[in-house]
Amino acid sequence: MKRPIFTAFKTHTAPIIIMNSEKLRNLNSTDDRTLNRELSWLAFNQRVLDESRRERTPLLERVKFLTIFYNNLDEFFMVRVAGKKRALKEGIRQVDDQDSGSIQDNLAAIHTKARELVTEFYSTFQRSLLPHLAQGNIHLHRIHTLSDSQRSALYQYYKTSVLPVLTPLAVDPAHPFPFLGNRKLYLLVTFDARIPGMPGPIAFVEVPGVLNRLIPVNMDVPGYNYVLLEDLISEHLGELFFGLPMKAAFPIRVTRNLDINLLESEVVDLLSTIQTELKIREQAEAVRLEYAQDLPRELLDLIEKKLGLEDGDTYECPGPLAMADLNALYELNGEGWKYPAFNPRLPQRMKGNRSIFSLIREADLMLHHPYDSFYAIIELLHEAAWDSDVLAIKQTLYRTSGDSPIIDALILAAEQGKQVTAVVELKARFDESNNIVWARRMERAGVHVVYGFIGLKTHSKMTLIVRRENRKLARYVHLSTGNYNSTTARHYVDIGYLTARPEFGDDVTLLFNILTGFNIMGRSASELNPPSPMKTLIVAPLYMRDHLLGLIQREIDEQKAGGKGLIIAKMNALVDRRLIEKLYEASVAGVEIRLHVRSICCLRPGVPGLSETIEVHSVVGRFLEHSRIFYFRNRGKDDIYLGSADWMPRNMDRRIEVVFPVEDAEARRQIIHEILPTYWADTENSWKLDADGTYHRVDTQPQIVDCHQNFIEIARKQGIKSLPYDKAIRHDLRMNGRPVASTRPLSPGLKPKDTKEKKN
């Protein structure tokens, strides 16, 4: 029954190379002009894994990066691999035009690279992370190494807190092979064979996800000591099966297809359809099996057959499964174990207690999250909820936190009698159930909830507030690159933009009317009523791709006319073939192109005669880069755009996205002279992409530049302090029936009762 959970094995550190250099010299076919999307994503996840090995990364941050890698790989199989397997089953030869070869070839390449990463993952865990944890007096023990008194204490815990929630699932003529839930950890228990040469009876025991995976052990030495829950259960399985002669217990874990694929012609009620799909998804087909290193071949064959998997879909793991549970260690505290604490700042203009509406009327306000506190947006919504002059609030919601102060503000506004509209995206992957729960909560409070369109995801991030001023209606707009999620806003890099410019109000009003009306997104912009295009917003799927192509073409024309074309673009992913080909065309013309692409990049930079003037960097570090910034030199006019859209086919064709210009002079200065140069100068978090798909860290310059730390220092220097973030976002803004911005320092002589803005 005893087997090692942590075993040593050979390290694999070879870089992921998507195309060899020999083939790179002969880029004649269209397929070879772009990198494989799936392998590019796996290369991104390898960069995430690398953060867990770096000496500069604090101990528990290493644990965090390791678990992020594991979760990322889970989602990759649940969506991308599952989609390809489904397409193969349906007889489709190719899923993405970025992938050369057949689906079978792509799946084979994916499994090869994924296995390399899994090997590297467990090597990192055992050879790097475990020793460093031990140096910090954090230990994971095997039960058989503990003293009798320690094992006795653990047994008492097992009897009182574990055994009551265990359910043995036998497999015999009376009990068919059980359904193994998605990403749940099981122990496959084997018993002595009754028939020579044949596998004996088996049973499954689910390791309860409702219990802590890491069980503390009391020891005489200082530090943190744990055993894994499955190890404790394995130790006492004899009691669960009433003394039946057992041979061994092997951890296994199944990953299933969790991608929702709606057929538009069959959808009558989007909400009920999504709810039905979520139930069906729980029984979805398996796409991957992870199993213990010493699982007998005959048992593996049996499980593969029962799950409908092939050998290529199974992954032998020389260590614990369900490794994302190790993130529980992040709750521990120790000297230097985490990144130095940083409390987000508020912009200097928010100093004092002036109404945020008056600040926005004076000038546009840009917020660079997480360095600038997301609390500014929460305060805006709460002030709008209490302000008797605010008549309406409209907002798009893609992902938000479960106890969101955003939702609370919208509900509060509805309770105050305002017209509140929330466009909720039910198809936000992995957040469908959560979105349904809080959407219904808003509906019960009187918020008008709209669920968007069937064939399009509403991915744009925007808020419209209509306020009565001087007997007229004024409109305040918030546009952002990121979601209205106060939790992720502390860890994701995004940019929000607040403005009262009438042209922005006109366009956002028009777009909300489209979102809450009939689906006309299949029509061109010229067919809309009114027929004139929007003044500021660039909207997908109406004309975003064409507009971006036009902006690139303008730089090409300027370069050919003897000028200096320059394009700088920051995004999460670059996949769209038409945009890639246009960038190639610009490079051939001599336009300088700097790309910051965090994860997937299908463009090949630095190829002679194709992309010599293109350089691609990827920033992976303390914060998740999520902002999208697009700069075009435009003969020295410096056009700057922000938005919700990456350059992918899904963003251009299957999502409602918004990209918008930055008009404010100070915001433009900040982006052009502060944000973009800091990213390009970074030497601590940046990787450079080579033409063959290999990433390597940028050359270390004489002066080390850490973009994330630099932005923190800028915020500390330029911003003002507020309450600790976790407290601020839950701060009760009610005082005498009016909002009080009490997380901002009061101006001299200003009392709380004076904070209400005078009516105009």
Side-chain angles (χ1 to χ4, degrees):
M1 284 292 295
K2 295 183 175 67
R3 63 173 206 83
I5 291 183
F6 315 121
T7 55
F9 59 96
K10 187 177 180 180
T11 302
H12 179 91
T13 57
I16 290 184
I17 299 177
I18 297 177
M19 176 174 287
N20 62 51
S21 57
E22 180 63 33
K23 189 173 182 181
L24 188 61
R25 299 190 190 98
N26 301 287
L27 292 180
N28 297 319
S29 71
T30 301
D31 289 337
D32 291 342
R33 292 166 70 91
T34 55
L35 297 166
N36 181 281
R37 168 180 173 161
E38 317 306 345
L39 299 185
S40 181
W41 185 92
L42 288 172
F44 159 67
N45 210 27
Q46 184 178 35
R47 300 195 294 280
V48 173
L49 180 60
D50 188 79
E51 290 297 312
S52 68
R53 290 195 298 266
R54 300 188 72 187
E55 289 296 327
R56 68 180 286 261
T57 305
L59 177 61
L60 294 185
E61 304 293 349
R62 293 188 185 193
V63 175
K64 190 173 183 178
F65 278 113
L66 201 75
T67 59
I68 290 172
F69 167 90
Y70 197 87
N71 273 327
N72 283 350
L73 199 60
D74 275 355
E75 293 188 7
F76 177 74
F77 274 90
M78 289 188 293
V79 178
R80 297 302 303 176
V81 174
K84 289 185 178 295
K85 289 177 69 68
R86 182 176 60 234
L88 188 62
K89 186 177 181 180
E90 294 174 354
I92 300 173
R93 193 190 75 83
Q94 204 170 24
V95 179
D96 299 303
D97 60 3
Q98 286 75 22
D99 295 344
S100 59
S102 65
I103 292 179
Q104 293 97 323
D105 291 339
N106 274 275
L107 282 172
I110 288 169
H111 285 303
T112 297
K113 297 304 179 184
R115 289 194 204 300
E116 293 177 2
L117 287 180
V118 169
T119 300
E120 190 173 342
F121 169 85
Y122 281 103
S123 176
T124 300
F125 172 64
Q126 305 208 55
R127 295 193 172 194
S128 177
L129 187 59
L130 282 179
H132 281 90
L133 286 172
Q135 290 175 13
N137 284 324
I138 302 175
H139 304 276
L140 299 181
H141 299 277
R142 293 303 311 273
I143 288 184
H144 69 270
T145 66
L146 302 178
S147 68
D148 290 342
S149 61
Q150 290 161 349
R151 296 175 70 174
S152 176
L154 286 171
Y155 178 61
Q156 293 303 314
Y157 172 79
Y158 170 80
K159 286 203 305 182
T160 59
S161 301
V162 179
L163 181 60
V165 295
L166 295 181
T167 302
L169 301 172
V171 179
D172 60 23
H175 301 91
F177 194 92
F179 178 83
L180 303 178
N182 181 54
R183 296 201 290 178
K184 293 182 179 180
L185 182 61
Y186 293 89
L187 291 174
L188 169 56
V189 186
T190 61
F191 303 83
D192 283 338
R194 298 175 181 175
I195 303 176
M198 297 291 290
I202 62 173
F204 294 89
V205 177
E206 180 182 342
V207 179
V210 295
L211 300 179
N212 291 330
R213 179 86 176 282
L214 300 175
I215 303 173
V217 180
N218 292 324
M219 304 191 77
D220 297 333
V221 296
Y224 301 92
N225 298 277
Y226 302 95
V227 296
L228 293 176
L229 178 58
E230 62 266 31
D231 200 16
L232 177 61
I233 295 173
S234 296
E235 184 81 358
H236 302 290
L237 280 174
E239 295 183 20
L240 194 63
F241 291 99
F242 303 99
L244 288 177
M246 290 181 296
K247 294 174 63 177
F250 308 96
I252 65 169
R253 184 172 181 264
V254 178
T255 309
R256 296 184 177 274
N257 179 358
L258 285 202
D259 196 23
I260 290 180
N261 187 28
L262 297 179
L263 297 177
E264 296 182 46
S265 60
E266 298 179 4
V267 176
V268 177
D269 183 320
L270 182 59
L271 176 60
S272 62
T273 300
I274 292 292
Q275 290 174 315
T276 301
E277 285 292 324
L278 289 176
K279 293 179 182 178
I280 295 174
R281 195 169 70 174
E282 293 300 318
Q283 304 292 322
E285 62 184 5
V287 295
R288 179 182 59 163
L289 171 70
E290 298 167 277
Y291 62 93
Q293 195 173 30
D294 48 359
L295 180 69
R297 181 70 230 188
E298 64 268 19
L299 287 177
L300 178 59
D301 291 340
L302 172 66
I303 299 173
E304 286 181 357
K305 180 179 179 181
K306 293 295 185 180
L307 296 177
L309 296 173
E310 301 175 354
D311 284 346
D313 303 318
T314 61
Y315 285 72
E316 183 181 69
C317 300
L321 309 184
M323 290 285 279
D325 292 339
L326 287 184
N327 199 43
L329 293 175
Y330 195 77
E331 300 302 317
L332 302 178
N333 291 300
E335 183 69 27
W337 285 3
K338 300 178 184 179
Y339 290 120
F342 167 68
N343 192 44
R345 296 318 200 239
L346 292 170
Q348 277 288 344
R349 288 174 53 200
M350 294 185 69
K351 188 174 183 178
N353 284 271
R354 290 178 54 195
S355 166
I356 196 168
F357 293 116
S358 67
L359 297 178
I360 300 172
R361 277 200 307 274
E362 283 182 353
D364 298 349
L365 182 63
M366 189 177 79
L367 300 166
H368 191 198
H369 309 300
Y371 317 104
D372 293 331
S373 179
F374 189 73
Y375 172 70
I377 306 305
I378 297 171
E379 181 177 359
L380 169 70
L381 290 171
H382 275 268
E383 185 168 338
W386 279 111
D387 191 337
S388 59
D389 288 327
V390 169
L391 305 181
I393 303 174
K394 299 183 180 183
Q395 188 174 63
T396 57
L397 291 170
Y398 190 74
R399 301 185 197 275
T400 191
S401 51
D403 58 346
S404 172
I406 296 291
I407 303 301
D408 292 341
L410 296 179
I411 290 175
L412 176 61
E415 291 173 346
Q416 298 302 307
K418 305 185 189 314
Q419 185 183 73
V420 182
T421 302
V423 181
V424 176
E425 181 48 70
L426 292 179
K427 302 181 293 297
R429 186 174 290 136
F430 305 125
D431 278 329
E432 299 94 342
S433 296
N434 290 335
N435 288 6
I436 290 174
V437 170
W438 50 255
R440 285 181 160 173
R441 179 183 165 213
M442 287 193 296
E443 282 183 319
R444 289 193 296 268
V447 176
H448 185 67
V449 178
V450 178
Y451 294 119
F453 301 133
I454 295 171
L456 298 169
K457 285 186 179 181
T458 304
H459 193 249
S460 56
K461 329 294 183 182
M462 57 184 186
T463 299
L464 174 67
I465 298 174
V466 182
R467 189 171 187 269
R468 183 172 46 232
E469 297 176 358
N470 290 326
R471 299 183 180 179
K472 296 181 181 179
L473 295 184
R475 286 171 292 192
Y476 295 85
V477 170
H478 175 254
L479 297 165
S480 180
T481 66
N483 296 305
Y484 290 103
N485 188 318
S486 59
T487 300
T488 58
R490 190 172 187 176
H491 308 287
Y492 287 21
V493 177
D494 276 302
I495 300 179
Y497 194 71
L498 289 159
T499 181
R501 296 175 186 266
E503 60 271 24
F504 277 79
D506 289 342
D507 287 356
V508 172
T509 298
L510 174 59
L511 185 52
F512 268 113
N513 288 340
I514 292 174
L515 291 174
T516 58
F518 291 109
N519 184 357
I520 61 172
M521 284 296 184
R523 297 159 58 183
S524 66
S526 61
E527 295 177 302
L528 296 178
N529 186 17
S532 59
M534 296 184 183
K535 307 180 191 70
T536 58
L537 303 188
I538 305 170
V539 180
L542 295 178
Y543 47 76
M544 183 175 290
R545 181 189 283 109
D546 289 342
H547 195 106
L548 292 171
L549 291 171
L551 293 174
I552 299 172
Q553 182 63 49
R554 190 177 62 188
E555 298 301 308
I556 295 174
D557 295 341
E558 172 64 10
Q559 187 73 29
K560 289 181 176 179
K564 294 182 178 180
L566 175 61
I567 299 171
I568 305 174
K570 181 179 182 295
M571 63 195 84
N572 300 329
L574 173 56
V575 178
D576 190 83
R577 187 180 288 272
R578 287 180 62 189
L579 288 168
I580 289 174
E581 291 294 336
K582 198 66 178 178
L583 290 173
Y584 286 157
E585 182 183 342
S587 180
V588 171
V591 176
E592 181 182 356
I593 303 172
R594 302 174 189 171
L595 302 176
H596 302 267
V597 186
R598 185 195 75 210
S599 55
I600 305 169
C601 182
C602 295
L603 177 145
R604 294 183 184 277
V607 177
L610 180 69
S611 56
E612 293 179 70
T613 66
I614 303 178
E615 189 169 340
V616 179
H617 288 190
S618 170
V619 171
V620 179
R622 174 174 181 174
F623 300 119
L624 179 73
E625 292 297 331
H626 194 253
S627 58
R628 290 93 167 183
I629 308 172
F630 310 116
Y631 167 91
F632 301 90
R633 188 172 183 273
N634 188 20
R635 302 177 180 87
K637 296 180 181 178
D638 297 329
D639 288 349
I640 295 286
Y641 298 88
L642 304 172
S644 59
D646 293 312
W647 289 9
M648 303 178 72
R650 71 182 188 187
N651 299 94
M652 300 296 144
D653 302 320
R654 302 189 298 277
R655 290 186 173 187
I656 299 170
E657 303 275 15
V658 167
V659 167
F660 56 93
V662 178
E663 302 288 0
D664 180 74
E666 173 56 25
R668 291 164 57 82
R669 182 208 64 78
Q670 187 178 353
I671 292 173
I672 295 172
H673 299 293
E674 194 173 276
I675 295 177
L676 291 178
T678 300
Y679 277 121
W680 201 249
D682 179 89
T683 61
E684 285 294 284
N685 309 283
S686 293
W687 298 73
K688 184 178 179 181
L689 173 62
D690 291 334
D692 64 356
T694 302
Y695 284 84
H696 60 81
R697 290 198 177 273
V698 298
D699 295 334
T700 302
Q701 301 172 4
Q703 182 180 3
I704 295 176
V705 178
D706 184 334
C707 63
H708 293 156
Q709 187 59 37
N710 280 18
F711 289 135
I712 287 175
E713 296 304 323
I714 290 172
R716 284 174 172 160
K717 181 179 179 180
Q718 298 179 356
I720 58 176
K721 294 182 179 180
S722 71
L723 291 174
Y725 182 77
D726 290 337
K727 183 177 180 180
I729 61 174
R730 293 170 176 81
H731 192 58
D732 186 3
L733 298 178
R734 306 183 189 197
M735 183 176 288
N736 298 324
R738 301 298 299 171
V740 177
S742 53
T743 60
R744 292 192 266 154
L746 293 175
S747 298
L750 186 63
K751 298 178 181 179
K753 66 180 182 180
D754 299 322
T755 59
K756 177 182 175 182
E757 181 187 14
K758 294 181 179 179
K759 294 184 179 180
N760 295 312

